[in-house]
Amino acid sequence: SPLQRLAAERLAACWLQVHAAERLYAHSLDKPKLNDYYQDHLDRSHRRFESILRTSAHIQRLTGVVVQLNVGAQQVNIANP
């Protein structure tokens, strides 16, 4: 659905932001003033990522997402009740 697609795109963007913030924080460990700034930046990015994770899970529960898994010649369909 369009809502699921939007949530997935936002999830990917937030994931990238968290990893970028982690890299910036790691490079600032020897600089006390920048270290605090980048730690706050990382915390905010992580909160946004957790928020969209919760939202995405909620959307999946509401829409009854069907997961299709193909392994070899067998197909397994799993539907949320």
Side-chain angles (χ1 to χ4, degrees):
S1 75
L3 186 57
Q4 289 171 320
R5 181 173 297 155
L6 180 64
E9 290 172 359
R10 181 70 177 150
L11 186 64
C14 287
W15 182 82
L16 288 172
Q17 288 175 352
V18 167
H19 286 282
E22 286 175 342
R23 288 179 55 96
L24 289 170
Y25 175 69
H27 290 297
S28 73
L29 290 175
D30 58 342
K31 302 172 186 120
K33 288 184 181 180
L34 286 177
N35 187 5
D36 291 340
Y37 172 78
Y38 285 125
Q39 177 65 54
D40 290 341
H41 178 65
L42 177 57
D43 291 342
R44 287 190 308 272
S45 298
H46 193 261
R47 278 194 303 271
R48 283 191 298 270
F49 180 68
E50 286 180 336
S51 174
I52 192 62
L53 273 176
R54 284 189 302 273
T55 302
S56 179
H58 186 68
I59 290 169
Q60 287 178 351
R61 280 193 306 273
L62 289 176
T63 58
V65 173
V66 175
V67 177
Q68 179 176 340
L69 176 65
N70 294 321
V71 180
Q74 297 180 351
Q75 178 176 326
V76 178
N77 292 320
I78 302 169
N80 291 344

